[in-house]
Amino acid sequence: MTMTELSFLSKEEIQFRDEARSFVQRNLTPHAEDIEQGKLEAWDILRKFGKAGYLGSRYPVEFGGTGRGLMYEVLATEEICAVHAGLDMARVASCILFAHPVYEFGSEAQKKKYLTPVARGEKIGALGITEPNVGSDVAATETRAEKQGDSYVINGEKRFITNGPVADFLLCYTVTDPKVKAKQGMTAFIVETKSKGFEVVEEYDLLGMHGAHVGRLAFKDLVVPEENILGDVNGGFGVVMAGLDAERTILAAEMNGVARAAMEEAIHYSNYRVQFRRKIREFEGISFKIADMATKLEAARLLTFKAARIIDANQPATKDAAIAKLFACETAIESASQALQVLGGIGYTKQKPVERYLRDARLMTIGGGTAEILRYLIQREVFKEYDL
Ligand SMILES: Cc1cc2nc3c(=O)[nH]c(=O)nc-3n(C[C@H](O)[C@H](O)[C@H](O)COP(=O)(O)OP(=O)(O)OC[C@H]3O[C@@H](n4cnc5c(N)ncnc54)[C@H](O)[C@@H]3O)c2cc1C
C-alpha cells in the first residue's frame, strides 16, 4: 500500500481491492481464454463471484449485497475487467444496468424478488432501452404497453440487449401514454423472460466483448402484472435518467481495467523484446508510449473515483460521470492501440491478448452513451455553471 494510494482510498478500500484482485486471479484468470473462445459460459464463473459477494457492493445486505457503496463496485469492476471485459459486460448488465434501478425505485417486494437473486448471481438481469429506431434518443421509445384490467400488454422490440438471450428478468422501457411526449408517457416494467410472448429474435456476432450474449428481443402480446411497474406509471424516463450516473461511472471503471491490462502487456513486452541489441523500452518511441498510457490511466482512474465518491455522497454527478466515462473509454481505446504498436506483429495475433483489449474497448464510445452524446452533456453542464 503506497502513500499515493492512501491519499485517495481508505485502508479498507485498498484491502478490498487487493482481495478482489486475488479472487479474480484465482477464479477468472485461468478461464479467461475459454470464455473468450465460447468454451465456457461467463455466468458459470459469475455465479462464484455472486457467492463471494462481488456482485452487489452497492446494495444492502438484506437484498443480497454487501452495502459497501459504489466506490467498492468501482474497485471490483477494474479488477474483473482487467482480466476479461466480455465477462464483466455480462456482470454489469445484470448487476448494475438491471439491478441498480430496481434498488433505487423498487418496492420492498420487488427488491426481494428481483434484486436479491441478481445480486447473489442466482438470476440474470438485462436492461432494455435500445430499439431498432431508438438509440441515443431514448425519448423516441416505440415499444407499447397497454393497460388491460390489472395488467399491461407489451408489444414491440428491443435490440442490442446485453444478456437478453440468457436473462431471467428484463427491465423494459415502454410507452404507456402515446398522447404525450415520451418523456411524460414512458413506464418501466420488470419483465420475466419466461412469460408467454417473449422472444429472442437473434443473437449478435460481435467484434469484441465475447462471453457476453447480446440479442434482439421481441414482445408479442406479453402480459405483465401491474405490480411489475418499476417506479410510477409514466415515470419511466425519470427511472432511465436516474441510473445513468452510476452506470457511466462503472463503465469508466471497466475501461480502466482494460487500459491497465494493455499497459501491463506493453511494459512487460518492451522490457523483454530486444532489437538493435537493446531492449525496445530503451527507445524513446516506445518508452514514451508507456508514459502516455500511465498518465492517462492515472487521470481516468481519478476521474472515476471522483464520480463514485460524489454518487456515494448522494450528490448529482451528471458532469463528473460523463467526463469519467468519456475519458476512460477513449483512453482504453488509445492505450490498447498503442500497446499493440509496442508489441509489433505479435500484438496483431491472437497469441497475445492485446488485440482482444482493442476489440473490447472499441465498444465503449458507443454503448452506455456515445462519445458524442457525452460531449453534448458535458458542454451543457459547463454552460449551466456559467449561467449561460
Ligand atoms: C454490444 C452492445 C451492447 C449493448 N447493450 C445494451 C443493453 O444492454 N441495453 C440497451 O438498452 N442498449 C444496449 N446497447 C445499445 C447502445 O446503448 C446503443 O448502441 C447506443 O446508445 C447508441 O445507439 P445507436 O447504436 O442506435 O446509435 P445512434 O443513436 O443511431 O447513433 C449513431 C451515431 O450518431 C451519433 N449521434 C446520435 N445523436 C447525436 C446527437 N444528438 N449529436 C451528435 N451525434 C449524435 C452517435 O453518437 C453515433 O455516433 C448496446 C450496444 C452494443 C453495440
Side-chain angles (χ1 to χ4, degrees), residues 122-151:
E122 294 159 2
K123 297 279 182 193
I124 304 171
L127 172 71
I129 298 176
T130 309
E131 301 181 5
N133 293 322
V134 181
S136 302
D137 185 7
V138 176
T141 297
E142 293 175 345
T143 293
R144 279 280 277 128
E146 282 179 83
K147 195 163 180 355
Q148 282 187 13
D150 292 342
S151 298

Side-chain angles (χ1 to χ4, degrees), residues 36-47:
E36 184 61 21
Q37 290 172 21
K39 293 179 189 161
L40 184 64
E41 281 296 317
W43 282 100
D44 289 341
I45 300 293
L46 284 170
R47 273 185 270 274

Side-chain angles (χ1 to χ4, degrees), residues 81-85 255 257-263 265 332-333 336-337 339 352-362:
C81 222
V83 176
H84 201 275
M255 289 302 103
V258 173
R260 183 180 104 201
M263 181 182 77
E265 279 291 327
I333 295 171
S337 180
K352 296 281 181 188
V354 179
E355 60 82 33
R356 161 159 71 88
Y357 302 147
L358 184 56
R359 287 187 287 106
D360 291 347
R362 191 60 194 84

Side-chain angles (χ1 to χ4, degrees), residues 135-137 248 251 322 325-326 329-330 362-378:
S136 302
D137 185 7
R248 288 181 181 145
L251 299 180
K325 181 181 182 275
L326 177 66
C329 295
E330 292 190 342
R362 191 60 194 84
L363 169 65
M364 299 309 293
T365 53
I366 299 170
T370 67
E372 291 77 12
I373 294 297
L374 293 178
R375 283 195 164 83
Y376 165 76
L377 290 176
I378 294 163

Side-chain angles (χ1 to χ4, degrees), residues 23-284:
F23 185 87
V24 167
Q25 277 163 4
R26 286 195 312 278
N27 292 284
L28 175 57
T29 306
H31 306 295
E33 209 37 55
D34 281 350
I35 293 167
E36 184 61 21
Q37 290 172 21
K39 293 179 189 161
L40 184 64
E41 281 296 317
W43 282 100
D44 289 341
I45 300 293
L46 284 170
R47 273 185 270 274
K48 283 190 209 158
F49 279 72
K51 281 205 180 86
Y54 287 113
L55 298 189
S57 295
R58 196 166 184 219
Y59 313 126
V61 176
E62 58 184 306
F63 298 119
T66 54
R68 287 166 160 145
L70 194 70
M71 190 65 200
Y72 283 81
E73 192 66 57
V74 157
L75 295 171
T77 298
E78 181 180 323
E79 296 310 319
I80 301 170
C81 222
V83 176
H84 201 275
L87 170 133
D88 200 61
M89 183 161 126
R91 180 190 72 93
V92 165
S94 183
C95 303
I96 302 290
L97 306 189
F98 170 82
H100 188 260
V102 178
Y103 161 65
E104 290 271 356
F105 290 90
S107 63
E108 289 293 296
Q110 286 173 334
K111 287 185 204 172
K112 207 165 168 225
K113 189 169 177 189
Y114 298 111
L115 173 59
T116 305
V118 163
R120 289 188 181 143
E122 294 159 2
K123 297 279 182 193
I124 304 171
L127 172 71
I129 298 176
T130 309
E131 301 181 5
N133 293 322
V134 181
S136 302
D137 185 7
V138 176
T141 297
E142 293 175 345
T143 293
R144 279 280 277 128
E146 282 179 83
K147 195 163 180 355
Q148 282 187 13
D150 292 342
S151 298
Y152 281 78
V153 179
I154 301 184
N155 280 286
E157 272 194 41
K158 297 284 171 185
R159 73 167 178 173
F160 303 147
I161 307 305
T162 307
N163 288 338
V166 293
D168 299 287
F169 313 133
L170 172 76
L171 183 56
C172 183
Y173 288 89
T174 66
V175 174
T176 34
D177 186 352
K179 293 190 291 298
V180 296
K181 283 186 181 157
K183 282 186 185 175
Q184 284 96 45
M186 274 171 69
T187 302
F189 287 88
I190 302 171
V191 169
E192 298 195 14
T193 60
K194 63 175 190 232
S195 309
K196 196 165 164 268
F198 180 92
E199 191 194 332
V200 178
V201 180
E202 68 171 309
E203 186 169 332
Y204 296 99
D205 195 4
L206 302 175
L207 173 69
M209 294 295 192
H210 297 162
H213 297 278
V214 178
R216 179 167 174 156
L217 311 174
F219 321 108
K220 290 179 187 145
D221 295 329
L222 189 153
V223 179
V224 189
E226 210 166 29
E227 68 208 35
N228 279 31
I229 290 173
L230 188 70
D232 297 326
V233 177
N234 297 327
F237 196 76
V239 179
V240 183
M241 293 299 137
L244 289 179
D245 295 346
E247 288 163 25
R248 288 181 181 145
T249 305
I250 293 300
L251 299 180
E254 281 196 311
M255 289 302 103
N256 295 339
V258 173
R260 183 180 104 201
M263 181 182 77
E264 286 173 355
E265 279 291 327
I267 290 169
H268 293 304
Y269 188 81
S270 63
N271 189 49
Y272 147 87
R273 175 74 174 165
V274 173
Q275 286 294 284
F276 302 97
R277 284 179 281 122
R278 290 163 75 182
K279 289 181 176 183
I280 60 169
R281 64 173 281 199
E282 291 171 28
F283 303 117
E284 247 177 37

